[in-house]
Amino acid sequence: MKVDVLLGLQWGDEGKGKIVDVLSPGYDIIARFQGGPNAGHTIEFEGLKFVLHTIPSGIFDPQKQNVIGNGVIIDPFVFKKEVLQLKSKNIDPSNNLLISKKAHLILPTHRMLDAVYEKSKGVLKIGSTLKGIGPTYTDKVARHGIRIGELSGADFQQKYAALKETHQRIIDSFGYDTSLFKIDGLDFLSYETQWFESLETLRHFKHIDSEHFINQSLKQGKKILAEGAQGTLLDIDFGSYPFVTSSNTICAGVCSGLGIAPSKVGKVFGVFKAYCTRVGSGPFPTELFDEDGTLMRDEGHEYGSTTGRPRRCGWLDLVALKYAIMLNGVTDLIMTKGDVLSRFEQIKIATNYKLNGTLIDYIPYDDSDVEASLIDMPGWNDDIGKVTSIGEFPEALNRYIGFIEKETETPVTIVSVGPDRKQTIFR
Ligand code: GDP
Ligand code: IMO
Ligand code: MG
């Protein structure tokens, strides 16, 4: 067996959580391989709505095993809140969630560092979710992070204190009055107290050698779906650096984030919105600053699932989409949120960029000055939220999808027409 992969092809929030939930009946195991609580994956069914940050989106079926892989970083405080959110709706993840011993912990001072670094950058700030992602991955690579497997060690407190002291020295060197910095609305000491309390929830779960579990499961013929977080254009290597996250969000991240060989990757599902959104700073060639952008934001409820920030909105960018398909080896495209464009009579798509007056068909090394070259297409101008089969698709929607398939040479096999599990059409 192979591991199928589902990941985002834009700047995150493509609707990955919804689609993983829809596809999960076809799998035995759902595994997150990178990122941390910067992710916010929304799942809606039977009138319920959940936003998951660390826990895989397969958690709603007690028959499915869910794995938080070694490539993920975990904040016990956020994790506990997720567990409580699920339990409040009678979903108990205790028996179908496994956590890699090699996943790293986000400490309260990682979050403080994130805030300090962002403040020091001024107008050049990344627009981070301030969940401590950059500093935690930095410590992992610098080889002094703390892993889940160390939670049960006798010297955990000592290790915590040593790393906190190192962080404190860096924080002090910036000279800010950090008593003014709040973490999720709490002052540092209150947050730290709650963080320690939350460790108990984390300790309660099964901590495993997830690379062995995943590979043995493959040998036993189990079907595994890897769930990406963020999106390809936020990848640490291939995104618009430095306005990126701190992990490999692309398909290659599955190998290091779960411990599988490249030859074990099967299908690659690439999720994209029918338009584009971005939260945080950085280039966005098709961004709209007019009423079209406002209409997209309003119709698509484009506000961050993790931070509540308004998302920047713009037209679909085929140059960027083709780049993402190339980097990930996408076998199946999944288009979400076409229903959001229902009120547009005309729709635009970027097919090229203009750089210093020249037309180019790739993302250049420095993409801060590119301008989108757009074509017009007729909109479907019809509410597609209640459509139940492709036979009911308006002709203009078929043409839009057909154009994307032709340009990307990749089939669009699923179209999502609303946030609910049921609003999903297989082609
Ligand atoms: P993720 O991070 O990729 O899982 O995406 P988010 O959950 O952050 O953001 C996607 C948002 O769009 C969520 O509020 C979803 O409920 C919603 N959503 C997903 N698919 C669709 C769709 O096809 N149409 C509409 N209107 N909303 C969708
Ligand atoms: P999901 O999984 C959208 C963005 C932040 C910021 C940059 C770096 O829900 O799609 P970080 O907190 O990683 O230091 O932020 O990346 N970002 C996301 N944008 N969806 C996400 O996750 C994101 N995770 C991080 O807004 O621009
Ligand atoms: Mg999200």
Side-chain angles (χ1 to χ4, degrees):
M1 293 303 288
K2 299 205 171 189
V3 175
D4 290 346
V5 180
L6 183 143
L7 41 71
L9 298 179
Q10 295 162 327
W11 287 282
D13 302 330
E14 297 90 349
K16 299 175 293 293
K18 176 201 156 154
I19 304 294
V20 169
D21 170 65
V22 167
L23 294 180
S24 62
Y27 292 90
D28 302 301
I29 298 167
I30 319 295
R32 276 276 306 269
F33 59 93
Q34 47 70 233
N38 47 351
H41 295 183
T42 315
I43 296 101
E44 292 192 31
F45 56 90
E46 294 162 16
L48 299 171
K49 177 174 171 173
F50 298 89
V51 181
L52 297 173
H53 302 287
T54 327
I55 297 176
S57 303
I59 201 67
F60 304 99
D61 180 348
Q63 306 303 321
K64 309 292 169 189
Q65 203 56 263
N66 288 265
V67 176
I68 299 176
N70 58 279
V72 178
I73 55 177
I74 303 174
D75 185 330
F77 178 84
V78 179
F79 178 77
K80 180 181 176 180
K81 279 213 227 166
E82 282 183 75
V83 171
L84 292 178
Q85 176 200 188
L86 290 168
K87 285 192 169 169
S88 74
K89 299 279 170 11
N90 296 322
I91 292 153
D92 184 0
S94 314
N95 296 321
N96 65 333
L97 179 63
L98 306 167
I99 304 175
S100 170
K101 288 182 197 164
K102 294 189 175 73
H104 280 241
L105 276 176
I106 301 175
L107 270 52
T109 39
H110 281 131
R111 294 199 59 180
M112 187 63 93
L113 273 170
D114 221 357
V116 164
Y117 286 139
E118 277 286 78
K119 186 170 167 58
S120 74
K121 288 193 168 90
V123 291
L124 291 176
K125 69 176 184 190
I126 311 282
S128 165
T129 60
L130 301 179
K131 300 292 174 189
I133 305 298
T136 306
Y137 277 120
T138 301
D139 276 348
K140 173 179 176 175
V141 175
R143 298 163 296 181
H144 43 236
I146 301 180
R147 302 190 288 178
I148 291 291
E150 289 166 80
L151 274 178
S152 46
D155 56 354
F156 175 74
Q157 289 289 350
Q158 242 173 305
K159 284 186 175 159
Y160 175 87
L163 190 52
K164 179 182 170 183
E165 198 189 316
T166 306
H167 291 162
Q168 200 63 61
R169 277 201 297 270
I170 303 172
I171 291 164
D172 290 347
S173 74
F174 280 82
Y176 296 131
D177 180 0
T178 49
S179 68
L180 300 174
F181 285 53
K182 296 273 183 277
I183 310 180
D184 285 355
L186 299 169
D187 62 73
F188 182 82
L189 286 180
S190 312
Y191 181 83
E192 190 184 40
T193 306
Q194 291 205 22
W195 187 90
F196 270 101
E197 284 167 11
S198 308
L199 284 179
E200 286 319 306
T201 305
L202 200 49
R203 284 196 173 102
H204 177 75
F205 283 80
K206 216 168 168 190
H207 303 163
I208 60 161
D209 294 309
S210 58
E211 65 279 28
H212 288 297
F213 175 77
I214 294 280
N215 283 287
Q216 276 163 11
S217 299
L218 285 176
K219 272 195 177 160
Q220 291 161 5
K222 297 264 166 66
K223 289 185 161 179
I224 303 178
L225 180 64
E227 172 179 0
Q230 291 78 58
T232 301
L233 305 175
L234 289 171
D235 181 87
I236 182 72
D237 283 285
F238 300 104
S240 42
Y241 194 88
F243 303 105
V244 293
T245 190
S246 299
S247 65
N248 279 119
T249 60
I250 58 167
C251 191
V254 176
C255 296
S256 55
L258 289 180
I260 58 150
S263 59
K264 293 276 161 59
V265 173
K267 281 190 173 202
V268 181
F269 298 103
V271 188
F272 71 101
K273 277 181 197 177
Y275 50 98
C276 286
T277 62
R278 177 166 200 169
V279 220
S281 324
F284 184 176
T286 61
E287 184 168 11
L288 288 163
F289 299 96
D290 57 10
E291 63 272 20
D292 280 346
T294 309
L295 185 60
M296 272 180 203
R297 186 172 308 112
D298 291 347
E299 293 286 306
H301 308 292
E302 295 296 357
Y303 295 89
S305 312
T306 298
T307 58
R309 292 178 292 175
R311 295 178 182 143
R312 300 156 66 192
C313 297
W315 299 115
L316 183 66
D317 182 340
L318 279 183
V319 182
L321 192 65
K322 286 181 197 173
Y323 183 61
I325 291 169
M326 174 188 84
L327 292 171
N328 293 302
V330 172
T331 58
D332 294 62
L333 284 170
I334 298 174
M335 187 175 96
T336 60
K337 303 194 95 161
D339 55 300
V340 172
L341 299 182
S342 289
R343 286 184 51 201
F344 287 87
E345 297 215 357
Q346 287 289 313
I347 290 175
K348 293 184 197 296
I349 305 187
T351 48
N352 288 286
Y353 291 157
K354 272 183 243 154
L355 182 62
N356 305 322
T358 309
L359 219 52
I360 56 169
D361 62 0
Y362 61 91
I363 304 181
Y365 173 74
D366 180 2
D367 60 349
S368 51
D369 284 331
V370 298
E371 212 185 301
S373 168
L374 301 157
I375 59 154
D376 275 307
M377 292 197 76
W380 32 102
N381 214 2
D382 198 358
D383 179 11
I384 56 166
K386 293 196 173 64
V387 158
T388 54
S389 70
I390 49 167
E392 296 167 50
F393 277 9
E395 195 37 46
L397 176 62
N398 282 328
R399 241 178 291 150
Y400 190 72
I401 295 171
F403 182 71
I404 293 167
E405 289 184 315
K406 188 167 111 317
E407 286 287 311
T408 60
E409 298 173 19
T410 317
V412 175
T413 57
I414 298 175
V415 179
S416 167
V417 295
D420 194 89
R421 200 186 255 178
K422 288 197 178 129
Q423 293 172 294
T424 314
I425 318 290
F426 289 80
R427 287 176 89 232

